[in-house]
Amino acid sequence: MVTAEPVSHTALVRRARRINRELALLYPDAHCELDFKSPLELLVATILSAQTTDKRVNMVTPTLFARYPTAADYAAADRDELEKIIQSTGFYHAKANSLMGLGQALCERYGGEVPPRLKDLVTLPGVGRKTANVVLGNAFGVPGLTVDTNFGRLARRFGWTTSLDPEKVEAEVATLIPRKEWTILSHRLIWHGRRVCHSRRPACGACALARLCPSFGEGPTDPVVAAKLVKPGPFS
Ligand code: SF4
């Protein structure tokens, strides 16, 4: 077991890369659990995924994508109809506002296309850094760290950061992990957070990272107790 003593940056980098390699072995097929076929579809699905599960979003998007195939369709959407389709994802008034505003902004400023740059994406309605990085990493192949609640919690448990601010977490993890690994690392952390390293009771006694993790013991260490906490997935 690794202690929680302060470690040098070099040691932190070495341990972070070992954790990333272990996660790669654990989750060889880690991927974005939202269904999409284009940057626009992924952008819309990511906006809808706020405060709900990817599984729930994937139940809604086949109908949504068929009804609104282009940015112009969202711009011209009938609000009641749009809200009805996305209602089960929660916060549907705000999400409808974002999708209609997104469609208008894409048509007015980007010829109806999703721009492939972070600085442009974050100017769009409903799009913060996390959503922008999801789209860059998964629809455009531009490496991005997508700091959601799972990512942030695990990064803190691994001692990669102490910050609760997603932007600071992103900046600190970026110094530990090679850029080309950023998107896949994000998926691996999210997968491990959903399956094993839960917020309330992490399954430490059943965790393959136990010997590398300075937070081992934050959850039950008994293997039998811990095994019952593991959620096998899939979550999509
Ligand atoms: S489950 Fe426990 S040992 Fe595994 S990563 Fe989370 S805190 Fe660390």
Side-chain angles (χ1 to χ4, degrees):
M1 183 184 128
V2 180
T3 70
E5 298 284 314
V7 289
S8 70
H9 189 72
T10 308
L12 205 54
V13 167
R14 199 174 298 133
R15 193 173 76 202
R17 293 180 185 193
R18 281 181 70 193
I19 287 174
N20 185 33
R21 285 197 296 275
E22 288 287 335
L23 286 168
L25 294 173
L26 268 181
Y27 307 114
D29 55 348
H31 59 270
C32 178
E33 293 184 281
L34 292 167
D35 295 336
F36 68 97
K37 293 198 192 72
S38 68
L40 178 64
E41 288 188 359
L42 181 56
L43 188 50
V44 168
T46 309
I47 289 170
L48 291 180
S49 72
Q51 311 290 330
T52 190
T53 62
D54 291 353
K55 190 174 184 174
R56 169 63 59 193
V57 174
N58 290 339
M59 289 164 72
V60 161
T61 47
T63 304
L64 184 71
F65 295 160
R67 176 69 186 81
Y68 306 97
T70 69
D73 295 313
Y74 289 102
D78 175 85
R79 173 179 291 278
D80 290 344
E81 188 189 2
L82 177 59
E83 287 188 351
K84 206 167 164 196
I85 296 173
I86 65 172
Q87 189 168 15
S88 64
T89 69
F91 301 96
Y92 56 94
H93 292 309
K95 289 178 182 176
N97 278 343
S98 292
L99 296 186
M100 292 168 73
L102 174 71
Q104 285 156 11
L106 290 177
C107 289
E108 283 164 14
R109 291 193 267 134
Y110 300 103
E113 299 295 324
V114 177
R117 292 194 306 187
L118 184 71
K119 75 180 182 65
D120 296 325
L121 284 166
V122 294
T123 68
L124 298 168
V127 182
R129 275 187 83 87
K130 187 197 82 176
T131 297
N133 276 324
V134 168
V135 173
L136 287 174
N138 297 284
F140 290 113
V142 178
L145 293 166
T146 56
V147 184
D148 73 348
T149 53
N150 286 294
F151 187 120
R153 180 177 71 255
L154 269 67
R156 287 185 289 279
R157 283 179 175 165
F158 293 151
W160 296 353
T161 181
T162 55
S163 180
L164 291 168
D165 175 350
E167 275 199 46
K168 285 194 186 142
V169 174
E170 186 186 328
E172 291 184 56
V173 175
T175 70
L176 304 175
I177 300 290
R179 188 169 185 272
K180 65 180 172 46
E181 290 282 301
W182 287 357
T183 304
I184 190 67
L185 170 76
S186 303
H187 294 317
R188 290 169 188 156
L189 288 184
I190 291 166
W191 278 44
H192 195 58
R194 286 176 175 168
R195 289 157 178 79
V196 179
C197 191
H198 310 124
S199 158
R200 291 214 185 129
R201 292 189 86 207
C204 294
C207 178
L209 303 178
R211 90 204 134 76
L212 293 171
C213 178
S215 298
F216 176 75
E218 200 158 317
T221 56
D222 180 276
V224 176
V225 175
K228 289 185 185 145
L229 299 172
V230 173
K231 294 183 187 159
F235 293 87
S236 58

